[in-house]
Amino acid sequence: MAVLPLKTIGDPILRSKAKEVENVNERTREIIKNMKDTLHENEGLGLAANQVGILQQIVVISIEDEEIVLINPEIVEKEGRKLMEEGCLSVPGRQGAVPRAEEIMVEYRNEEENQQRRKFSDLAARVIQHEIDHLKGELFVDKVVDISSAAPEKEPGSVE
Ligand SMILES: [Zn+2]
């Protein structure tokens, strides 16, 4: 078991783009195993390789007892939009509401290098969108919506 140290906001690797994995080899499998250990140790729902200092397009998620490895994930369809509070292991102590698609279709390779196409919804869809952002060097704090600013506009002529 190897729990890797987490990179936190301010580290340039979190703002870097991860590279596509060309083939799943021994080294890739070792990275995946260490990412799973790190995710569970931190009781997270998802982890992107950037968060442990590795610029490869690898995501591990663990939701409702299902563990899924997504290599080179790409969202090919999106549906719906929902605002929900999010946090991030790389941004300790901060939370904020982020709009995300409610349902997504994702193409990716699994640990056996097989091409997959799978639909995810609700929490899994949210976590995967969050992790794919990491692979692109984006953080949830870039997308946080100030709920108070989304309040309906005042009627014309109202006085404050
Ligand atoms: Zn995160």
Side-chain angles (χ1 to χ4, degrees), residues 14 46-48 51 86-91 130-131 134 138-140:
L14 292 173
L47 190 72
Q51 294 180 274
E86 268 181 39
C88 177
L89 294 174
S90 294
V91 190
H130 175 117
E131 303 310 333
H134 274 301
E138 296 169 9
L139 295 173
F140 87 95

Side-chain angles (χ1 to χ4, degrees), residues 18-85:
K19 291 187 181 68
E20 214 169 288
V21 176
E22 283 174 25
N23 51 59
V24 179
N25 53 30
E26 201 71 0
R27 172 71 185 135
T28 319
R29 274 185 273 275
E30 193 191 329
I31 292 170
I32 291 167
K33 197 194 164 297
N34 293 343
M35 283 177 66
K36 287 179 179 175
D37 290 344
T38 307
L39 179 62
H40 295 139
E41 179 71 17
N42 289 282
E43 294 175 358
L45 298 173
L47 190 72
N50 306 45
Q51 294 180 274
V52 289
I54 297 164
L55 284 177
Q56 294 191 33
Q57 293 181 16
I58 305 171
V59 163
V60 175
I61 72 165
S62 174
I63 290 171
E64 287 163 0
D65 295 328
E66 192 186 1
E67 199 168 63
I68 305 167
V69 176
L70 302 98
I71 298 169
N72 304 336
E74 196 185 339
I75 297 169
V76 293
E77 284 168 36
K78 286 185 178 189
E79 222 179 281
R81 189 174 183 274
K82 198 178 171 186
L83 203 57
M84 203 176 125
E85 194 94 341

Side-chain angles (χ1 to χ4, degrees), residues 113-129:
E113 225 172 342
N114 298 317
Q115 188 67 30
Q116 309 287 307
R117 181 181 166 92
R118 182 170 163 183
K119 189 182 270 188
F120 295 92
S121 52
D122 304 315
L123 187 59
R126 173 162 297 268
V127 173
I128 290 170
Q129 289 172 85

